[in-house]
């Protein structure tokens, strides 16, 4: 028997109508996604930027060597030593260094000098030799289409609280290399890659192959293997003439910034209007962990403020509910765990709905700041249903991105869509495993997120194709994946040199590999 009142149930039914996406709507969204993806492959300056990475190979797990990765986040700098064993496994040794606010907001040369000093300290403490260094920069860079990835990477904007001066519009690879050269540290930058590409490469190494790397966490993005012939914005340049395949960084968080296809609600509009980037990153605001808690907070407050009679908590609110970003997506995850009786709430005995809602109420009291007497079991039931609606919508929309990549690469046809040029043409990799690497707190930790995404993927591409999609966690895309990019970059550069084409360093040539101990470094601004 439902504990919610008739008025609460009417409100929930109205919310369900706004947040539920039909299979037909999913297909239409996927069609729009594909249209924007093709636009980004054709033109520069699109919301879905479809950035060519110039990474043209994907590891298969047989590669060996030792590499270093430099990963710069919002609070810490992480230097990693990654050893590839050639059997789809790797080991990692790492050290973190604090990044102060002064470094984040001062001169760019001071920041990059700190990066170089940290690498030098790590090498000195570990006794490791060095020959080469790859650089990873995310999320905003667009390499010159006529150059290899490691020779140019222009910083378009800072994120994660970085505002270092005299860096915007400059080549990040050169800034880092100049820092090493100033300090006479004998390392060299050899690649430019973002975390999403790293996720693809990491999963490819540990699973034997991968066509898509996707992040479903605080933010969202995807990178996939595309035919160079489909990257029309290359025109008739050298990259187009070379052909083959290349990993493309989609920047799909910016999909549908016009909101012509996404199922927008007033709660989404409020979030967007009050965000630091209104009318940008629309897709990300519908599906990523940074925003789901805020959407949920907006919905909750609408029921608290309902007239003529409040529908939640007797019209009472708290500091957390009244504060923008006051509800973290982790709270939604804990509500689901409490209701399902999993994770920290796992139990060996069957429990009644009343007992399950009591657990949910405890989560609300703990994280939203209510007294226990102010939260009824009916309130708890409403909250857990709201959380379910918001996250289910996110998981279903996430499936659209995965399905679109399968269709774009010729591995699937979208049900109810005209996205395939020749519906009679054979699909690629029929009856074969389709590798997808994922990373991020939502897909890794949120209960049932991946299963809900799979259910929607099945509706979009059919059960046979969905069953062959091997979705697995990408281990340390910003570290191991970045080191793998260094390996790929050196292989590409060696092949180019052998053909008499461009080389990494015209003056001295690329670093010579004297043994399987080939050291490289990567920095990730993400």
């Amino acid at each position: 028997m439902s504990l919610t009142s008739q008025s609460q149930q009417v409100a929930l039914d109205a919310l369900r109508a706004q947040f539920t996406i039909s299979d037909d709507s999913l297909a239409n969204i996927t069609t729009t996604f594909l249209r924007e993806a093709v636009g980004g492959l054709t033109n520069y300056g699109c919301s879905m930027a479809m950035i060519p990475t110039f990474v043209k190979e994907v590891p298969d797990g047989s590669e060996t060597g030792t590499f270093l990765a430099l990963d710069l986040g919002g609070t810490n700098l992480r230097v990693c030593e990654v050893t590839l064993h050639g059997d789809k496994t790797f080991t990692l040794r790492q050290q973190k260094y604090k990044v102060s606010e002064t470094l984040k907001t001062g001169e760019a040369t001071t920041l990059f000098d700190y990066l170089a000093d940290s690498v030098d300290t790590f090498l000195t403490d570990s006794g490791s030799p060095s020959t080469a260094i790859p650089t990873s920069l995310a999320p905003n860079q667009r390499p010159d289409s006529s150059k290899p990835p490691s020779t140019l990477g222009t910083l378009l904007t800072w994120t994660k609280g970085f505002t270092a001066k005299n860096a915007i519009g400059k080549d990040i690879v050169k800034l880092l290399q100049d820092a090493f050269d100033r300090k006479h540290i004998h390392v060299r930058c050899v690649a430019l890659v973002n975390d999403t590409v790293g996720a693809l490469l990491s999963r490819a190494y540990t699973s034997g192959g991968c066509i898509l790397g996707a992040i479903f966490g605080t933010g969202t993005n995807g990178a996939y293997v595309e035919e160079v012939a489909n990257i029309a914005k290359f025109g008739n340049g050298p990259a187009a003439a070379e052909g083959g395949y290349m990993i493309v960084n989609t920047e799909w968080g910016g999909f549908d910034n016009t909101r012509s296809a996404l199922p927008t609600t007033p709660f989404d509009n409020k979030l967007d209007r009050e965000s630091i980037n209104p009318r940008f990153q629309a897709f990300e605001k519908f599906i990523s962990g940074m925003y789901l808690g805020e959407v949920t907070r907006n919905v909750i407050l609408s029921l608290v403020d309902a007239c003529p009679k409040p529908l939640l908590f007797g019209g009472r609110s708290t500091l957390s509910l009244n504060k923008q970003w006051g509800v973290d997506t982790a709270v939604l995850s804990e509500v689901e765990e409490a209701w399902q009786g999993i994770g920290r709430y796992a139990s060996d005995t069957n429990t009644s709905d009343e007992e399950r809602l009591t657990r949910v109420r405890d989560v609300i009291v703990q994280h939203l700041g209510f007294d226990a007497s102010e939260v009824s079991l009916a309130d708890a039931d409403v909250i857990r249903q709201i959380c379910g609606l918001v996250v289910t919508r996110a998981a279903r929309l996430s499936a659209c991105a995965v399905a679109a990549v399968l269709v774009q690469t010729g591995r699937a046809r979208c049900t109810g869509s005209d996205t395939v040029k020749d519906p009679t043409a054979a699909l690629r990799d029929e009856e074969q495993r389709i590798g997808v690497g994922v990373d991020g707190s939502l897909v890794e930790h949120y209960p049932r997120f991946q299963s809900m995404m799979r259910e929607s993927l099945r509706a979009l591409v059919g059960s046979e194709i969905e069953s062959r999609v091997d979705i697995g966690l990408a281990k340390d895309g910003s570290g191991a994946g970045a080191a793998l990019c260094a390996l790929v970059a050196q292989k590409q550069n060696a092949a180019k040199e052998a053909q008499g084409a461009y080389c990494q360093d015209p003056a001295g040539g690329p670093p010579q590999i004297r043994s399987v101990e080939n050291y490289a470094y990567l920095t990730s601004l993400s």
Side-chain angles (χ1 to χ4, degrees):
M1 181 176 180
S2 175
L3 296 175
T4 56
S5 68
Q6 182 178 359
S7 297
Q8 286 176 323
Q9 195 56 54
V10 169
L12 284 169
D13 290 343
L15 289 170
R16 192 168 288 108
Q18 292 184 76
F19 280 89
T20 300
I21 310 174
S22 68
D23 290 348
D24 286 343
S25 293
L26 284 180
N28 290 334
I29 292 167
T30 304
T31 299
T32 306
F33 193 106
L34 280 161
R35 189 179 305 123
E36 289 201 14
V38 171
L41 290 171
T42 305
N43 302 293
Y44 288 105
C46 297
S47 296
M48 276 183 66
M50 306 299 284
I51 301 171
T53 67
F54 295 85
V55 178
K56 304 198 66 179
E57 295 183 35
V58 174
D60 62 10
S62 64
E63 294 81 2
T64 61
T66 301
F67 295 81
L68 291 173
L70 178 60
D71 178 17
L72 180 61
T75 57
N76 290 306
L77 170 68
R78 186 170 63 112
V79 183
C80 312
E81 181 183 75
V82 181
T83 301
L84 308 174
H85 300 300
D87 58 358
K88 301 181 182 178
T89 67
F90 63 84
T91 54
L92 182 145
R93 185 174 63 84
Q94 63 181 356
Q95 182 64 49
K96 290 184 178 180
Y97 302 88
K98 183 70 175 178
V99 180
S100 67
E101 288 301 314
T102 301
L103 286 169
K104 293 169 67 175
T105 59
E107 282 290 331
T109 52
T110 304
L111 173 63
F112 283 92
D113 281 348
Y114 179 73
L115 304 188
D117 285 337
S118 299
V119 170
D120 190 36
T121 299
F122 183 86
L123 289 175
T124 301
D125 291 346
S126 65
S128 299
S130 61
T131 59
I133 176 163
T135 302
S136 166
L137 177 66
N140 297 304
Q141 75 279 351
R142 186 176 74 199
D144 186 319
S145 63
S146 66
K147 303 246 182 137
S150 47
T151 59
L152 181 65
T154 303
L155 179 67
L156 301 184
T157 183
W158 285 112
T159 61
K160 300 292 180 68
F162 282 87
T163 58
K165 303 173 184 65
N166 298 312
I168 301 296
K170 293 189 177 179
D171 179 1
I172 295 299
V173 177
K174 186 175 188 303
L175 288 175
L176 183 58
Q177 188 63 61
D178 286 349
F180 286 117
D181 294 344
R182 276 195 303 273
K183 295 177 174 292
H184 306 289
I185 300 171
H186 300 294
V187 294
R188 188 175 301 152
C189 308
V190 300
L192 180 67
V193 62
N194 78 356
D195 289 349
T196 311
V197 177
L200 190 161
L201 297 174
S202 173
R203 181 60 184 172
Y205 185 82
T206 58
S207 67
C210 185
I211 65 134
L212 167 65
I215 307 296
F216 298 109
T218 303
T220 186
N221 192 14
Y224 73 102
V225 182
E226 178 63 275
E227 290 186 57
V228 171
N230 291 332
I231 309 176
K233 59 187 174 187
F234 277 156
N236 296 320
E242 188 176 324
Y245 293 86
M246 183 180 293
I247 296 176
V248 170
N249 167 25
T250 67
E251 293 295 335
W252 71 32
F255 162 61
D256 196 30
N257 280 341
T258 61
R259 303 196 177 214
S260 61
L262 291 171
T264 307
T265 70
F267 315 106
D268 300 300
N269 286 336
K270 182 176 184 294
L271 180 151
D272 182 59
R273 185 177 67 254
E274 295 175 347
S275 71
I276 62 172
N277 55 347
R279 300 188 180 277
F280 289 94
Q281 295 299 99
F283 193 55
E284 187 164 76
K285 290 172 181 173
F286 277 78
I287 72 173
S288 72
M290 177 177 286
Y291 300 103
L292 298 184
E294 181 67 2
V295 174
T296 301
R297 187 185 75 90
N298 289 340
V299 175
I300 291 172
L301 285 178
S302 74
L303 299 188
V304 170
D305 295 335
C307 292
K309 184 179 179 180
L311 299 176
L312 266 180
F313 309 129
R316 290 179 289 271
S317 189
T318 64
L319 290 175
S320 294
L321 279 178
N322 291 338
K323 180 182 178 182
Q324 187 184 21
W325 314 114
V327 178
D328 194 279
T329 301
V331 177
L332 281 63
S333 182
E334 190 169 343
V335 165
E336 185 67 20
E337 287 182 6
W339 174 249
Q340 295 290 337
I342 58 178
R344 72 202 82 180
Y345 298 97
S347 173
D348 295 332
T349 59
N350 292 327
T351 55
S352 66
D353 283 356
E354 185 173 341
E355 291 171 311
R356 298 162 75 191
L357 288 173
T358 298
R359 294 195 300 248
V360 172
R361 180 173 63 184
D362 291 342
V363 174
I364 294 169
V365 169
Q366 178 183 356
H367 293 290
L368 299 188
F370 285 101
D371 291 332
S373 61
E374 296 174 325
V375 184
S376 68
L377 293 185
D379 291 334
D381 196 15
V382 172
I383 293 297
R384 69 99 184 166
Q385 291 189 61
I386 291 172
C387 294
L389 289 172
V390 171
V391 177
T392 298
R393 183 184 70 165
R396 285 176 67 77
L397 287 173
S398 298
C400 293
V402 177
V405 170
L406 297 181
V407 174
Q408 173 64 21
T409 58
R411 291 175 171 85
R413 299 185 181 93
C414 188
T415 304
S417 172
D418 59 354
T419 52
V420 178
K421 296 178 182 178
D422 183 2
T424 64
L427 295 175
R428 291 181 59 188
D429 300 336
E430 288 192 277
E431 301 183 2
Q432 295 182 32
R433 166 190 170 276
I434 303 172
V436 174
V438 295
D439 195 9
S441 53
L442 273 179
V443 73
E444 183 174 2
H445 299 299
Y446 201 99
R448 299 177 51 250
F449 188 91
Q450 188 174 146
S451 63
M452 290 187 291
M453 182 171 66
R454 272 196 171 279
E455 180 182 336
S456 300
L457 182 63
R458 191 178 308 122
L460 286 167
V461 301
S463 58
E464 192 277 329
I465 291 173
E466 181 274 329
S467 68
R468 292 191 286 109
V469 177
D470 178 16
I471 299 177
L473 289 176
K475 297 181 180 180
D476 195 10
S478 62
L484 283 161
C485 186
L487 179 149
V488 170
Q490 288 190 327
K491 287 174 63 178
Q492 289 178 197
N493 289 340
K496 289 291 183 184
E497 255 211 344
Q499 298 168 7
Y502 60 70
C503 64
Q504 188 64 26
D505 185 345
Q512 299 301 308
I513 303 174
R514 293 184 291 272
S515 71
V516 296
E517 298 296 309
N518 176 38
Y519 285 85
Y521 306 81
L522 173 147
T523 144
S524 173
L525 310 182
S526 62

